[in-house]
Amino acid sequence: MQVLRHPPDTLRHALISEDPMLLELYEQYSTAEKKLLSEAYNPVSALFRPVTIHSPSDWIPSHPEPSETFQEFYQKPNRHIPNAEKKTIYVQTIGQFGDSDRLTREYIGWLKGYCQAFFYGLPVKVRGPVRIADTGCAFRVNDSTHNLQIHAGDLLKYLKTIKPADAFCIVGATMVDLYPRDSWNFVFGTASLTEGIGVFSFARYDEDFYSLRYKGRIKGKRPAQGDYSVFEGYYTPLITGSLLLRSCKSLLQWTEEEESNSDTGTHDEDQHRIPKPVDQFQEHRAWITRCLSLLT
């Protein structure tokens, strides 16, 4: 096990920089806001802890990337920034999101709420769902996990063709596993930052995905390429608090809505409501509350 630590001066430079324009922006922050930022380079901070590497297969050692300061990020010429004409986040659901229309509506409502809370201030619109067949994407059965997978690159091409003119970005969301190319086992998601398109999958957040109990395993003869009927009634994982936490990791606003308003959410004809799965978020809510306490 390895703990990644950096000297406070290194962290402060990476966060605040020495660029005159960025320093001028920094000086416009309040004392409380500066105090919160200083926690990021405080070696004994209770809010920001060093990263722990548990094994060589962890993401950081197995996918080395060059470091990047805030100044380098801010000055990127291709940095995607919302503006008055292009500020809407579109979420395009692809395939089924539940075993009934009611569940699908409820889940999509939660997904929209997550995006609005995380990307506060940007309007979010959910489109779809579209059938997987309508995307024209390639698909396969994974040789190891024996579940259906759809081609992430093909989905990006499809999303590019339907991206609205006022979109800051359009993101495809699916319950089916993804793969980016034949030589890869899988991918959680992929995106083009310059074109403002991306796609991600909830499939591998199912708690049973890597077990023999997983209901999405294909048994018997494998479907022919182009036979999209295999996706009709295909298993979609139940959306739980654990799944949403692992895939999005947000947010205080979203969990507080559940407690402060017992009459929010989608209702069916009998006015029965599916409880919003916020149980797994209490630790993160407490962390955000501590951050907010420094700003008041």
Side-chain angles (χ1 to χ4, degrees):
M1 187 170 68
Q2 177 188 6
V3 178
L4 299 183
R5 297 182 184 274
H6 300 283
D9 288 344
T10 301
L11 294 176
R12 188 182 190 282
H13 172 74
L15 178 65
I16 300 175
S17 86
E18 297 177 353
D19 180 83
M21 183 180 66
L22 291 180
L23 286 174
E24 183 178 348
L25 292 174
Y26 172 76
E27 291 302 325
Q28 296 176 19
Y29 286 141
S30 67
T31 301
E33 289 169 332
K34 291 179 181 177
K35 183 178 180 181
L36 176 59
L37 284 174
S38 70
E39 286 293 308
Y41 48 85
N42 177 1
V44 294
S45 172
L47 292 177
F48 302 97
R49 307 303 302 161
V51 176
T52 300
I53 303 298
H54 296 278
S55 76
S57 62
D58 281 6
W59 181 268
I60 291 178
S62 60
H63 296 81
E65 299 177 18
S67 61
E68 181 179 74
T69 66
F70 176 73
Q71 178 179 336
E72 291 169 335
F73 163 77
Y74 187 84
Q75 294 176 343
K76 279 187 173 180
N78 59 349
R79 186 164 61 92
H80 208 42
I81 306 173
N83 55 48
E85 291 75 32
K86 296 181 181 293
K87 63 179 182 180
T88 302
I89 296 174
Y90 284 88
V91 179
Q92 175 65 66
T93 54
I94 301 171
Q96 297 174 306
F97 261 65
D99 56 8
S100 71
D101 290 340
R102 178 194 171 211
L103 283 175
T104 298
R105 289 194 303 270
E106 192 80 35
Y107 293 163
I108 290 174
W110 293 339
L111 185 60
K112 180 179 179 180
Y114 265 73
C115 290
Q116 287 177 325
F118 195 89
F119 300 101
Y120 184 74
L122 296 183
V124 176
K125 295 182 180 180
V126 180
R127 300 175 50 160
V130 298
R131 299 182 309 157
I132 292 173
D134 294 336
T135 70
C137 68
F139 62 89
R140 72 181 186 184
V141 176
N142 185 286
D143 290 333
S144 301
T145 52
H146 306 288
N147 61 290
L148 282 172
Q149 295 181 299
I150 49 182
H151 195 285
D154 288 349
L155 293 178
L156 290 183
K157 293 177 183 177
Y158 169 76
L159 292 169
K160 186 176 180 180
T161 65
I162 64 169
K163 182 181 178 184
D166 66 337
F168 170 63
C169 65
I170 182 169
V171 182
T174 181
M175 289 293 192
V176 182
D177 200 24
L178 300 172
Y179 73 103
R181 56 181 65 93
D182 291 341
S183 59
W184 280 52
N185 186 30
F186 75 96
V187 68
F188 282 108
T190 186
S192 170
L193 300 182
T194 56
E195 295 184 297
I197 53 176
V199 61
F200 72 91
S201 168
F202 284 105
R204 289 182 180 252
Y205 293 114
D206 185 290
E207 294 178 353
D208 289 333
F209 185 87
Y210 295 99
S211 76
L212 296 177
R213 299 188 304 273
Y214 184 64
K215 298 178 181 178
R217 296 169 67 92
I218 298 296
K219 301 177 182 179
K221 185 178 179 180
R222 299 195 173 194
Q225 190 64 232
D227 181 10
Y228 293 100
S229 64
V230 69
F231 292 100
E232 296 175 6
Y234 182 63
Y235 170 72
T236 57
L238 178 67
I239 296 188
T240 63
S242 177
L243 182 149
L244 291 172
L245 172 65
R246 293 173 63 192
S247 57
C248 296
K249 294 206 172 178
S250 51
L251 253 174
L252 175 64
Q253 172 184 336
W254 199 78
T255 59
E256 284 188 332
E257 287 174 355
E258 175 70 10
E259 297 180 357
S260 62
N261 188 350
S262 61
D263 194 40
T264 58
T266 303
H267 296 253
D268 66 6
E269 295 154 359
D270 297 325
Q271 299 297 299
H272 292 304
R273 181 164 166 265
I274 305 170
K276 187 188 286 185
V278 300
D279 53 299
Q280 299 289 326
F281 284 80
Q282 299 313 311
E283 179 182 348
H284 291 267
R285 177 186 176 182
W287 181 85
I288 294 175
T289 301
R290 292 200 300 272
C291 290
L292 292 175
S293 70
L294 295 176
L295 297 174
T296 57

